[in-house]
Amino acid sequence: MGIREEIEKLRKEKNAVILAHNYQPPEIQDLAGITGDSLELAIKAKEATEDIIVFCGVEFMAETAKILNPGKKVIMPVKDAGCPLADQLTPEMIREARKKHPGAAVVVYVNSSAECKAEADVACTSANAAGVVRSLTETEIIFGPDSNLGSWVQEQVPEKKIIPVPPDGHCPVHAVFEISDAEEAKKKEYCIVCHPECEKKIRDASDFVASTGGMLKIAHEADKWAVFTEKDMAYRLKKEFPDKEFRHYEKSVCIDMKKITPQILRDSLKSEEYEVIIDEDIMNRARGAIERMIKIRG
Ligand code: 13P
Ligand code: SF4
């Protein structure tokens, strides 16, 4: 039996659903039942009726799945798949910011720990960040940990004041893009789409700014794309739009997303490891912020 058949057999026996983020390696994207961006996967996890949710992504995504559907067993095939951006925000930083800005609302990017979400009023993803901020009655918004996403939201919602916490939080995978990449892509007549985690200078040099799910929605707009985000997003785009060209950048790689292999996925289905366990109190406090985000959607 090949690995694909083995995984499918185990998945059925265990009554599991396999979710994979758009940055997962191509072979994992192909094995998953559902592939999507952070928001889409959170919604799918909430709606899952299977006994087990196998989350192929990074820790904050699997935690979000568990918080939204606590009765299910949520499994991460790789124990130490973290997010260096999420690590840049702590609950203490949020509490400090609240003290300094008592009238402000706290919006945390979903790329944050469950402990941070427990301190927040509402969460957001890159797909709905502007809509979430716009929906709030407060004028001052404490926003973290991604300062680039924060500045992008600020541009779209000028009536609010975004207070980035920390002031310079950023994703190393999206910090690699240079203006010269945009110049070269333009010379070769590519349409440029970048993720909002890219720096302002890159966003300004791009034709579109979109979440990974948003990139799939706008792909019909051009035939040749330069995709300024994690390299395997281009695989997902090509799969959905085989007649179009998607230029990817090998230098933009999220190593935490690449720790998984089909063998690791199979073994995790067999052993049902590693189960996501979150403190009950944290989970209950974090749920409100995530549920509120899903209701707003953006
Ligand atoms: P999306 O929500 O756009 O899929 O982004 C998640 C992420 O981690 C980007 O680096
Ligand atoms: Fe975190 Fe950046 Fe990887 Fe996204 S690409 S999971 S923000 S490190």
Side-chain angles (χ1 to χ4, degrees), residues 1-297:
M1 202 190 295
I3 189 106
R4 166 171 278 280
E5 291 73 29
E6 251 188 287
I7 289 172
E8 191 46 23
K9 186 169 174 279
L10 280 162
R11 192 194 63 73
K12 279 195 188 137
E13 277 169 15
K14 303 264 181 170
N15 190 26
V17 60
I18 302 172
L19 307 184
H21 186 263
N22 291 326
Y23 294 164
Q24 285 283 283
E27 57 277 20
I28 300 295
Q29 293 193 29
D30 289 348
L31 287 166
I34 298 163
T35 313
D37 73 6
S38 312
L39 182 63
E40 292 158 350
L41 294 178
I43 294 167
K44 291 292 178 192
K46 182 177 158 69
E47 292 168 352
T49 53
E50 293 81 355
D51 298 322
I52 297 179
I53 300 170
V54 182
F55 212 113
C56 304
V58 293
E59 191 177 14
F60 74 82
M61 297 177 181
E63 279 186 351
T64 303
K66 179 70 187 175
I67 293 165
L68 285 170
N69 205 340
K72 305 295 177 189
K73 188 167 192 177
V74 178
I75 288 170
M76 273 185 83
V78 177
K79 204 179 187 172
D80 63 342
C83 167
L85 169 62
D87 294 344
Q88 291 165 46
L89 185 66
T90 64
E92 293 71 34
M93 288 159 105
I94 299 175
R95 287 196 286 268
E96 274 303 305
R98 269 204 202 272
K99 263 190 231 155
K100 262 201 219 157
H101 307 278
V106 174
V107 179
V108 289
Y109 190 26
V110 74
N111 300 40
S112 59
S113 65
E115 287 79 3
C116 285
K117 291 186 182 87
E119 297 289 333
D121 296 305
V122 59
C124 74
T125 75
S126 55
N128 63 10
V132 165
V133 167
R134 208 174 278 122
S135 76
L136 299 171
T137 51
E138 293 87 346
T139 310
E140 286 194 322
I141 314 290
I142 295 163
F143 189 99
D146 191 43
S147 63
N148 291 317
L149 179 63
S151 78
W152 187 59
V153 170
Q154 181 68 84
E155 286 164 22
Q156 292 171 88
V157 195
E159 66 274 22
K160 305 278 186 194
K161 181 173 183 254
I162 301 288
I163 303 160
V165 177
D168 54 356
H170 69 278
C171 161
V173 179
H174 288 86
V176 298
F177 293 100
E178 313 263 6
I179 284 294
S180 55
D181 294 320
E183 285 167 353
E184 192 229 31
K186 278 280 141 206
K187 226 181 265 168
K188 294 185 176 159
E189 296 184 343
Y190 283 96
C191 189
I192 302 174
V193 61
C194 80
H195 196 275
E197 288 177 16
C198 288
E199 290 169 34
K200 177 173 168 52
K201 64 175 188 210
I202 301 300
R203 298 198 310 268
D204 288 349
S206 300
D207 298 295
F208 295 92
V209 181
S211 69
T212 64
M215 289 179 188
L216 285 151
K217 289 190 187 112
I218 59 164
H220 64 273
E221 300 262 357
D223 291 328
K224 270 178 71 169
W225 289 93
V227 184
F228 287 7
T229 192
E230 210 277 341
K231 69 184 187 75
D232 283 329
M233 181 63 209
Y235 177 79
R236 176 77 210 278
L237 284 158
K238 186 73 181 169
K239 207 169 153 178
E240 304 293 330
F241 299 91
D243 297 336
K244 295 186 187 286
E245 189 190 340
F246 299 98
R247 177 171 183 178
H248 73 278
Y249 294 80
E250 283 293 326
K251 64 181 175 179
S252 182
V253 53
C254 180
I255 40 178
D256 286 272
M257 287 277 185
K258 311 296 168 195
K259 290 178 174 170
I260 188 168
T261 62
Q263 288 71 21
I264 291 174
L265 174 55
R266 176 204 53 206
D267 294 346
S268 88
L269 266 164
K270 257 191 208 163
S271 64
E272 301 185 15
E273 282 180 329
Y274 297 90
E275 188 178 359
V276 176
I277 309 277
I278 310 170
D279 175 88
E280 199 73 25
D281 175 55
I282 298 282
M283 195 150 63
N284 291 338
R285 283 169 48 219
R287 188 171 301 113
I290 309 173
E291 294 274 14
R292 194 170 169 197
M293 158 186 99
I294 286 183
K295 273 198 200 110
I296 299 167
R297 292 214 179 187

